[in-house]
Structure formats: C-alpha cells, structure tokens
Amino acid sequence: MDLSGLFAQVLNGLQYGLLLFLISSGLTLIFGVMGVINLAHGSMFMIGAYLAYVIASLTGALWLALPLAVLGGLAMGAALEAGLFRRFYKREHLDQVLLTFALILLFEEARSAMLGNDFHAVPVPAILDFSVPVTAEFAYSAYRLAVLVVCLFVALLMFLGIERTRIGSAVRAAAEKPEMVDLLGLDARRIHLLVFAVGTALAMLAGALAAPLQSVYPNMGESFLIICFVVVVVGGVGSIAGAFWAALLIGLVDTLGKAYLPEIAGLVVYLLMAGVLLWRPSGLFAPGR
Amino acid sequence: MPAGSMPLSRRSFGALAAAAAAGGLARPAVAQGAPLRIGLMLPFSGTFAALGENIAAAVELYIAEKGGRIGGRTPQLIRLDDESNPANAVQNVNRLVGRDRAEVMIGTVHSGVVMALVQASRERGVPLIIPNAGNVAATRELCSPTVFRSSFSNWQPAYGMGLALAKSGVKRACWVTWDYAAGAESGQGFADGLKAGGGELVRELKLPFPETNFQPLLAQIPGLNVDAVGSFFAGGGAVQFVREYAAAGLKDRIPLTGSGFLTEGVLGPQGAAAEGVRTALHYGDGLDNPKNTAFRAAFKQRTNRDADVYAVQGYDAAQMLAAGLEATRGDPTAEAAFARGIRSARIDSPRGAFTLSPSHNPVQNIYLREARGGENRVIGVAAEALADPGTGCRMT
C-alpha cells in the first residue's frame, strides 16, 4: 500500500465526513430534542444544492448562495416547525415518518416541476478554480479545500454555541433531559423553533457547498439522508460531539472502504454501525445515558 | 409470402381490412394507398429530449428528401414521448402498437426503456429499429429477426478505445464507471480491445449510479501504475468526472480516455478540463466525406441546429427502414424478406457506409477523436469495420 495514496484517501475521508457532519448535526438535534425522525432533512440538502445551481447559473456568483442558503434555511425551518412539526411532537413515530415522507415527495415534485429532472454540474467559483498538490501524484481542487475549511469553521461555531452559550446549554438540556427545560422555566417552544431552524439552515448550507463537488440531480438528498442517519445512530442521538466524531469516522471508513475493499464498499459503514450498536446500543456519545 | 409463414396478427389483419375497404387488393404488399404508421417512441421531454428531437428530425429529413415517401409508402409518423421513464415503458409500447396500431417502430434513447420495445417486437412481430440505446442484449441473447439497430452496442466504442490505446503502446489501463449495465458492457469492450492490441485492464473502479463522489476512486489511480485511464460516463456525470479528473492533477500525467459519450454534447461545461481528452465513437466532428457534408448542411437548414451523432442514427434508422420496405414492396409484415432487405443493404451513412452484422448491429468504423476547442475532432480510425460479437444471438 502506498503511503501517499493513503494520505490522499484520508483527506478525502475527512472532507466527506465534515460535509456529513453539517447535515447530521441538524438531524441529530431535531431527533434528540424533539424526538422527530425527520426524513425530509435530505430534501433540505437537495434544496440547498439546487439553490446553488440556480444562483450560479443566474448570476455566476456561487458564493451568493451561501448566505441565501443559511437565511432561506432558517426561514424554511422555522416555517416547517411552526406550521407542521409542532403538531407532531406528541404523535407516534409512524405519523412523523408519514409526514416527513410526504414532505420528501412534495419537495421532489416541486423540484421536478420547476427545474426538471436533469443532472446538472455546477461550476466551481473562478477564484477557487485551481488545484493544490497534496501528494506528489495527487492534487486537490482549491474549492474542495475551501469547503473543508468552511465545514471545520461551522463545526467550531456549533461547539462554541452549544457548549459556551446559555441558549446552547438550554438546547443540551432539552436533548439530554427534556423535563429539565420545564423545571428551569425555559420556553420549550422557542428552543424547538431555534433547533429546527438552525438544523435546516445547516443542511441547506451543506447542499449549497456540496453542489460544485457533487453536481445536482433528483433525489440526491436521499443517499445522504441514509448515511447521515448512520452517523446519528453511531454518534448517539442528540449529541453534537457524537455527530462530529461519528461523521469523521463514517467518512473515513466509507472512503477507505471504497478504496481498499471495493468488493464490499457498500457494506462497510453498515457493518461498522452494527458493530457499534452491539457494543454501545445508544451510540458512542449518547448524552445523559 | 409472410402471411403463410407466420400467424396473421390483429395489426396486419387491420391493415388488410383497411386495404380491402379502400377497394384495394387483399394483399398487404400492394396496400399502398394507406399510409404506413411509423411509431416514433422517443424522449421528447426530460433529460434526453434534445436527443429524441434530433433523431425524429433526422427521420423527417430523410422522408422529405424522398419526396414525402419512405420505401415507396407514404408515412404517417406517430410520435410518443417515452420521457426516458422505464416505469412507463411497457404501457407506452402497448399504446403505440395497440391504440396507435404502429406497423413499424423506431425507438429509443434510454436503455431501460428500449427493452420494452424489444420485447414487444419479439412478441408481436412489429419491426423495431433502435436509433440509440446500446444495450448489448438487444443484438445478442435477445436478438430477433424483427429487431435492428442503427446506432452501436455499448461494447463497440469502448473496444475501439481499448484497441487504439494498446496499439499506441499502452500496456496497463484501468476503467472507471458507474456500476450499471452500460458501464459494465463498455468496460468489457475496453478490456477486450486492450487485450486484442496486447494491453491489459488492471482494475475496474466503480461507484453506484448516480453518485458523484469520485474522489475515493481518483485517489487510487496514481497507485495503480497505469499508462492510461478509460471511462464511461455521460451527461452531467461526465461533466463532473472530467473536471474532477483534471482538478486531481491526473490529466497531465495519465491520459484520460473513454467511450465517446464522455465528451459528447458536454464539452461546453467541461471547459479546459476536457482539452485533449481522447474518446472513441462511430461519429465525430470534421468527418470528411460527401455524404456527411450534405447531411449536415441539410439538417442545419431544416432544423437550424447542428447535426450530431443522434441525428445520424435517426437518419440511418430511416434509411434502414426504407431498405426493408423496398425489399418487400412496402410491406413490413413480410418478416423474412424485410429482414433480408435490411441485412443486404449498404447503408450510406454520414458516419461512413455500413452494413449490419448477422445479429442486426452496425458493422462500422469506430473513430478516434480528440477534444479540441469545443469539438470532438476525428483524428483517426480506432477500429475499422468493427462488429459486435453478437454472442448468444440465435435468430429464430
């Protein structure tokens, strides 16, 4: 095995894992705090990616899509929470699954009606359209490195927000001991609104960042949704730290699996998940359990 | 006579009755008063709409050139949009041969949809000419006396690429593709072509369709110690792959090559990343022969668009149909004679004249092309008069 090839693959794994973290962090909080299995989270990723595609083709300025994805995501998340999800927290998981599955169908149909079913490549912004050698034989596009840095930065913001702020500790309390929220006299409804809005914004931001790396195509959110649920389960539901480390782990295992065990590449992450669940049924970083 | 050698289907009975009602003779071969219903089942919406439109326009161009007739019959074109949706394929084919009573079929682009057409042609005896979809099965194990192809088998272009690489001195190469039938069939062609020229396929790198996380595959390539990389991607996936290959810094050290679809119709968005990429296909830009020059001018005049490989395949589908009709005095139900007519014809194609192999697939030159300034320039012949092996085809 050549070491420089391994190094390039590790970098690929980290980059992929950090992108998974952006999507999974919202998913794990929504699941952890509100107890909702939000299947439509992948659609938020898809919408973010198509937003980047539309912005890039209309204006040529892809970076514009990033603030728009965040603001649009906050608004969309808040609207979904206040308009729909709020009524489903006390319902059974089956009802929630039906609701969120219906949302997937709605979003995909809307995407199909407005933008068609084509596969579109999204150009990398011109100033980042060059490559940086990472090993003697393999280069990395500057855009890919930039995404890696942005993801790390967002992860840092998430840590600080969750660990160092009052509202962050309220969210943690809501995820770990929901009854504490009432005992402390916190407004659970505001926490729910905030978590949903931020989670949705992160998924849309991830989509916008990923569009030049992944292209945009119908149902692109679903393949990411499944792998992100693996991240959530492995990391421990409701844990941001868990989502972070699990996302990196899954990103690495998936990438190295594809590179070195191509025959069973599709299975490797699920074998890992099964192993983790046998060893620690509530995940690596299960909060408060 | 055909009616003696095969059971009279409802469709040909209908044609017969119509002929009788029109006061004609009770022989379909001379029932030339009624128009010939040609079913054009093609994508007129969705991802492949432009391909379907070019195929249909080229069929119409041929008919117009012949004064509104084809093989001595007046055609009635029945367009049916298959949307490239395999889920509706069977239903659409049933509409075409049932409700619309198509007597011959031309279709389609998508390889998942075409199998429903092949199936219907085998079961009902309605002749089918495939103007694009390259599934090898259609002219191998599922071949039929009533199924013809004017395009290519997936195996052919990739075989040409493999052979051309091996002849240029490439000893080791790898193949990158989506993990689906077209990718695997092309990969087999690439491997066979390399082997025929003394080279070797050392690894196939695959990812699930339509994922685009190419990085884990690309990062393996430097370690494989290969002289060239072959690939099969099309459309948006091809744009992404060619750009990432260049961004990974591989393009200048290990030449990227592929089946022609890698750079077909996508050179614009691929930009500089595609410059110099060599591909193999049965057509290309700057192909210098009188037929091609005339065809491109006529197509441009009629549609205001430039002709492409899909237009050529549509035009040749019409030429093949005409050859079958001419051999049967306009009767597509004369199965054996219709097939003999097409088989013995030399199709004067803009790609260069070709004939059909015993399994009804074109025996054709596969050209080597190089992407330069937004064109896939033909720079040579990768494989001359190449026939698909037709493995497993038993005409019954």
Side-chain angles (χ1 to χ4, degrees):
Chain A
M1 183 189 302
D2 72 311
L3 277 179
S4 65
L6 180 65
F7 175 75
Q9 294 293 12
V10 168
L11 196 59
N12 287 336
L14 292 177
Q15 190 259 319
Y16 181 50
L18 282 167
L19 192 64
L20 291 182
F21 168 71
L22 283 201
I23 315 172
S24 310
S25 53
L27 197 61
T28 200
L29 280 182
I30 290 169
F31 198 179
V33 175
M34 283 88 95
V36 172
I37 299 169
N38 183 13
L39 299 181
H41 203 66
S43 298
M44 303 301 136
F45 175 78
M46 179 274 290
I47 293 170
Y50 272 85
L51 180 73
Y53 159 67
V54 170
I55 297 286
S57 35
L58 285 183
T59 68
L62 181 80
W63 64 270
L64 264 179
L66 302 184
L68 278 178
V70 172
L71 294 175
L74 288 171
M76 167 96 80
L80 284 174
E81 203 279 339
L84 278 178
F85 281 84
R86 186 168 286 181
R87 293 156 228 277
F88 280 78
Y89 296 149
K90 298 240 158 60
R91 306 276 283 269
E92 297 195 6
H93 279 321
L94 184 62
D95 293 351
Q96 299 169 350
V97 165
L98 282 175
L99 169 74
T100 57
F101 186 65
L103 285 175
I104 292 181
L105 298 180
L106 278 174
F107 287 129
E108 284 293 334
E109 272 306 310
R111 190 253 326 126
S112 173
M114 288 191 290
L115 296 162
N117 294 322
D118 290 3
F119 191 120
H120 294 289
V122 179
V124 168
I127 52 164
L128 291 171
D129 197 6
F130 62 95
S131 293
V132 182
V134 291
T135 73
E137 293 168 312
F138 197 72
Y140 239 57
S141 83
Y143 182 77
R144 200 173 276 278
L145 289 172
V147 168
L148 198 147
V149 172
V150 171
C151 287
L152 270 177
F153 179 69
V154 173
L156 184 68
L157 281 186
M158 289 284 290
F159 271 122
L160 293 177
I162 289 280
E163 300 290 333
R164 298 275 188 272
T165 66
R166 281 181 60 86
I167 191 78
S169 49
V171 170
R172 265 187 298 146
E176 291 169 20
K177 294 243 162 48
E179 60 278 10
M180 280 294 287
V181 175
D182 293 334
L183 283 176
L184 293 171
L186 295 165
D187 184 352
R189 288 165 65 111
R190 279 180 58 194
I191 294 176
H192 294 166
L193 192 71
L194 176 79
V195 165
F196 214 99
V198 171
T200 302
L202 285 171
M204 277 180 63
L205 175 66
L209 284 170
L213 302 177
Q214 306 283 341
S215 299
V216 300
Y217 49 93
N219 300 311
M220 63 184 294
E222 282 22 281
S223 52
F224 278 89
L225 179 76
I226 293 166
I227 196 91
C228 287
F229 266 116
V230 174
V231 168
V232 168
V233 168
V234 167
V237 173
S239 164
I240 286 291
F244 181 78
W245 296 114
L248 290 189
L249 182 66
I250 298 290
L252 280 172
V253 167
D254 186 61
T255 302
L256 296 177
K258 279 179 174 142
Y260 298 108
L261 299 166
E263 306 309 319
I264 57 162
L267 270 179
V268 183
V269 288
Y270 301 102
L271 290 176
L272 173 78
M273 176 173 78
V276 167
L277 288 182
L278 283 173
W279 173 48
R280 285 195 175 186
S282 38
L284 295 175
F285 290 78
R289 275 166 214 137
Chain B
M1 277 308 296
S5 64
M6 67 177 243
L8 198 61
S9 70
R10 225 178 63 187
R11 174 184 36 76
S12 53
F13 179 75
L16 226 124
L25 301 158
R27 275 181 63 193
V30 287
Q32 291 180 2
L36 175 72
R37 287 186 300 277
I38 304 173
L40 288 181
M41 184 163 137
L42 291 164
F44 295 114
S45 66
T47 312
F48 296 134
L51 284 60
E53 291 292 352
N54 272 7
I55 290 168
V59 171
E60 287 166 359
L61 170 65
Y62 176 83
I63 293 167
E65 284 176 355
K66 300 292 167 190
R69 293 170 78 77
I70 185 161
R73 298 272 311 258
T74 305
Q76 179 195 344
L77 296 181
I78 304 157
R79 281 175 173 238
L80 195 148
D81 180 10
D82 67 32
E83 299 170 332
S84 295
N85 183 355
N88 294 342
V90 171
Q91 197 188 336
N92 282 333
V93 175
N94 285 338
R95 268 173 59 190
L96 199 63
V97 291
R99 189 195 67 184
D100 299 334
R101 293 177 297 132
E103 295 163 88
V104 293
M105 304 184 286
I106 296 178
T108 186
V109 169
H110 190 284
S111 48
V113 178
V114 83
M115 295 324 283
L117 285 163
V118 171
Q119 194 70 16
S121 178
R122 287 166 62 89
E123 283 172 5
R124 309 198 196 197
V126 182
L128 167 69
I129 302 174
I130 304 170
N132 187 64
N135 328 32
V136 296
T139 55
R140 289 191 188 173
E141 54 269 38
L142 291 179
C143 74
S144 154
T146 58
V147 174
F148 309 86
R149 182 146 54 194
S150 68
S151 51
F152 60 93
S153 79
N154 286 327
W155 181 91
Q156 283 179 306
Y159 180 95
M161 195 63 242
L163 183 64
L165 282 178
K167 280 185 177 167
S168 74
V170 166
K171 291 284 166 230
R172 296 162 56 85
C174 67
W175 180 252
V176 191
T177 189
W178 270 318
D179 193 2
Y180 66 170
E185 291 169 2
S186 302
Q188 188 59 50
F190 188 69
D192 291 348
L194 275 172
K195 201 171 158 194
E200 185 196 0
L201 181 72
V202 297
R203 182 79 70 86
E204 275 191 82
L205 302 170
K206 293 181 285 195
L207 78 165
F209 177 81
E211 276 182 29
T212 48
N213 185 14
F214 298 118
Q215 287 293 111
L217 306 185
L218 292 175
Q220 289 175 63
I221 291 174
L224 293 176
N225 194 20
V226 290
D227 311 315
V229 173
S231 58
F232 180 94
F233 292 101
V239 175
Q240 184 81 23
F241 180 72
V242 168
R243 289 198 327 206
E244 297 225 344
Y245 192 87
L250 295 169
K251 190 181 156 218
D252 297 330
R253 277 179 293 120
I254 310 171
L256 175 63
T257 70
S259 183
F261 301 100
L262 187 68
T263 53
E264 200 62 29
V266 287
L267 283 173
Q270 283 170 341
E275 282 293 294
V277 170
R278 291 191 172 185
T279 57
L281 199 66
H282 51 290
Y283 192 64
D285 291 312
L287 200 56
D288 189 16
N289 69 61
K291 181 73 189 176
N292 191 37
T293 312
F295 169 72
R296 295 190 70 91
F299 190 86
K300 178 88 179 180
Q301 197 192 1
R302 190 178 170 84
T303 62
N304 215 16
R305 297 192 296 270
D306 282 319
D308 56 9
V309 64
Y310 308 105
V312 171
Q313 292 166 174
Y315 189 77
D316 293 342
Q319 295 202 71
M320 285 162 59
L321 174 56
L325 291 171
E326 275 154 17
T328 55
R329 292 162 63 209
D331 177 14
T333 62
E335 188 178 293
F338 185 83
R340 263 198 313 276
I342 299 184
R343 271 281 281 121
S344 61
R346 187 167 169 280
I347 306 297
D348 186 17
S349 170
R351 76 188 88 168
F354 69 84
T355 55
L356 286 196
S357 68
S359 64
H360 294 178
N361 193 66
V363 179
Q364 56 191 341
N365 285 349
I366 300 297
Y367 299 104
L368 185 63
R369 305 115 42 94
E370 186 171 290
R372 283 275 167 241
E375 283 195 319
N376 288 299
R377 300 299 295 183
V378 171
I379 56 169
V381 176
E384 201 158 331
L386 181 67
D388 185 88
T391 318
C393 169
R394 289 212 315 274
M395 292 281 177
T396 46

